[in-house]
Amino acid sequence: FIGPSNAGKSTVASLSPGKVILSDDLILAKKVDGEFKVFPTPAWGDRQTGPRQNRPYRIRSLFKLIKDKTVYLEKFSPAYALANIFTIPHVPPELIPEDGLLATFSGLLSAVPCYGLHFLPEPSFWQHIEGLKSEIAFSKKET
């Protein structure tokens, strides 16, 4: 789940009992062994739940949080996702490599599907995410 400050990351974390929450604010994403993975940061937030393991977790999908009056998923094209996500990290401009960060985000968004998650402050959004996982599993069986 990604989004700028006040997007609803803490809300989503609090509505996710039984799920592993690495942080409701900041994680580290990195390409390891050809896959994009996230790592918990040393500052475990109050919302961190699940086993406190310092290990990578594979990124299967990205969900940009969008507060709305209805709950639904909106598939983002890699270009649209790049335009939306590239503006989120808080990296001082003088520390951004000329092509490194853009290349990393482009690679991530080519490898991992990205969605806009329109949601209300209640847990029904999980039904949409779980349904998406079922659709992906079903389509892989057919190919």
Side-chain angles (χ1 to χ4, degrees):
F1 299 103
I2 58 176
S5 185
N6 293 314
K9 297 182 297 290
S10 295
T11 299
V12 165
S14 68
L15 294 170
S16 302
K19 308 287 185 190
V20 174
I21 306 296
L22 300 179
S23 174
D24 65 342
D25 190 36
L26 183 66
I27 49 96
L28 171 69
K30 183 178 177 182
K31 193 170 189 178
V32 177
D33 299 327
E35 288 186 315
F36 285 93
K37 299 185 180 186
V38 292
F39 296 80
T41 57
W44 296 91
D46 291 339
R47 303 267 186 217
Q48 194 276 337
T49 62
R52 292 178 184 244
Q53 299 176 3
N54 187 17
R55 69 172 187 87
Y57 294 82
R58 193 172 120 217
I59 302 173
R60 296 187 181 171
S61 300
L62 296 171
F63 298 94
K64 181 178 182 190
L65 298 175
I66 304 165
K67 294 176 184 175
D68 207 336
K69 294 180 181 182
T70 58
V71 179
Y72 66 96
L73 290 173
E74 171 187 9
K75 176 85 164 125
F76 286 175
S77 71
Y80 186 76
L82 183 62
N84 271 272
I85 294 169
F86 193 67
T87 60
I88 293 174
H90 298 288
V91 180
E94 64 274 9
L95 298 179
I96 297 176
E98 287 185 30
D99 63 347
L101 194 57
L102 180 59
T104 299
F105 277 123
S106 294
L108 171 64
L109 296 170
S110 294
V112 177
C114 185
Y115 301 87
L117 174 57
H118 296 256
F119 75 104
L120 295 161
E122 45 87 12
S124 69
F125 63 88
W126 278 111
Q127 295 170 352
H128 294 268
I129 293 170
E130 295 298 328
L132 180 65
K133 289 191 323 191
S134 298
E135 287 177 32
I136 292 169
F138 182 73
S139 67
K140 285 183 179 180
K141 287 180 183 178
E142 289 187 343
T143 56

